[in-house]
């Protein structure tokens, strides 16, 4: 690590720097004359740092954190499914699709038992079915993601994990 030393051999005070390697101003410095400011800006332009790159390996995934995140995301997905099913049912009902299908079925002569699609696919029936399927999906998705996290830990111990290169662009 290099130290900040001026021309006379004295140590300059350490200065915090931003991500782009610009000194962080503390507000206590005296204002620089325009010539000195231009020289400092010119010096900074010549020493523009390259983007840093860091090679990392993802060798272990915590199964409990995967289970928690997957559970919350799948609950959010289940709520979205229930709301979407209710909206689709309301739009279809307002468009009169259920009544039209009932009329088509009765005009074909298959109306022997008084078939009414709106009774078969009522809003409560549709929402109950979608809710049950969403709960099953939450449980299955959480279990599968946790099992895959545990399997990933086993495989990465054999192979070494996934190698990722991060850049500071």
């Amino acid at each position: 690590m290099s130290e900040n030393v001026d021309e006379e051999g004295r140590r300059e005070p350490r200065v915090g720097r931003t991500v782009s390697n610009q000194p962080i101003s503390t507000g206590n410095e005296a204002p620089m004359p325009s010539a000195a400011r231009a020289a400092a800006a010119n010096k900074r332009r010549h020493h523009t740092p390259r983007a840093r790159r860091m090679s990392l390996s993802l060798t272990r995934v915590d199964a409990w954190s995967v289970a928690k995140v997957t559970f919350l995301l799948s609950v959010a997905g289940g709520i979205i499914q229930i709301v979407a099913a209710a909206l689709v049912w309301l739009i279809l009902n307002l468009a009169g699709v259920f009544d039209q299908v009932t009329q088509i079925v009765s005009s074909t002569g298959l109306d022997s038992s008084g078939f009414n699609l709106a009774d078969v696919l009522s809003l409560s029936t549709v929402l109950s079915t979608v809710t049950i399927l969403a709960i099953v999906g939450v449980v299955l998705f959480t279990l599968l993601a946790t099992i895959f996290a545990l399997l990933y830990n086993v495989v990465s111990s054999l192979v070494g994990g996934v190698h990722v290169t991060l850049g500071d662009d």
Side-chain angles (χ1 to χ4, degrees):
M1 189 164 158
S2 65
E3 294 186 19
N4 294 338
V5 180
D6 63 2
E7 295 85 23
E8 298 169 2
R10 291 179 294 182
R11 295 176 85 195
E12 294 179 0
R14 296 186 70 175
V15 178
R17 301 212 174 257
T18 63
V19 174
S20 61
N21 205 22
Q22 302 295 328
I24 297 174
S25 174
T26 60
N28 297 337
E29 298 93 13
M32 293 176 65
S34 62
R37 190 178 308 122
N42 192 19
K43 183 178 178 183
R44 272 188 249 125
R45 273 189 237 129
H46 290 296
H47 298 294
T48 304
R50 290 189 191 175
R52 295 178 293 184
R53 295 195 180 270
M54 179 85 66
S55 294
L56 302 172
S57 297
L58 181 62
T59 56
R60 186 175 181 281
V61 178
D62 186 29
W64 179 242
S65 67
V66 169
K68 290 187 293 186
V69 170
T70 305
F71 175 75
L72 291 176
L73 288 176
S74 58
V75 165
I79 292 171
I80 290 170
Q81 287 176 349
I82 293 168
V83 170
L87 289 176
V88 167
W89 189 91
L90 288 172
I91 290 171
L92 290 176
N93 192 30
L94 288 175
V97 172
F98 299 127
D99 295 332
Q100 290 176 356
V101 170
T102 302
Q103 287 177 354
I104 291 172
V105 169
S106 64
S107 68
T108 58
L110 299 174
D111 192 24
S112 61
S113 64
F115 175 76
N116 188 2
L117 188 61
D119 292 338
V120 174
L121 294 177
S122 66
L123 180 61
S124 62
T125 305
V126 169
L127 289 182
S128 298
T129 305
V130 171
T131 303
I132 291 170
L133 292 176
I135 291 170
V136 170
V138 165
V139 171
L140 284 177
F141 195 58
T142 303
L143 286 175
L144 286 176
T146 307
I147 290 170
F148 283 136
L150 293 170
L151 286 174
Y152 177 82
N153 289 339
V154 170
V155 170
S156 69
S157 67
L158 297 172
V159 178
V162 175
H163 301 284
V164 180
T165 302
L166 302 175
D168 185 20
D169 295 333

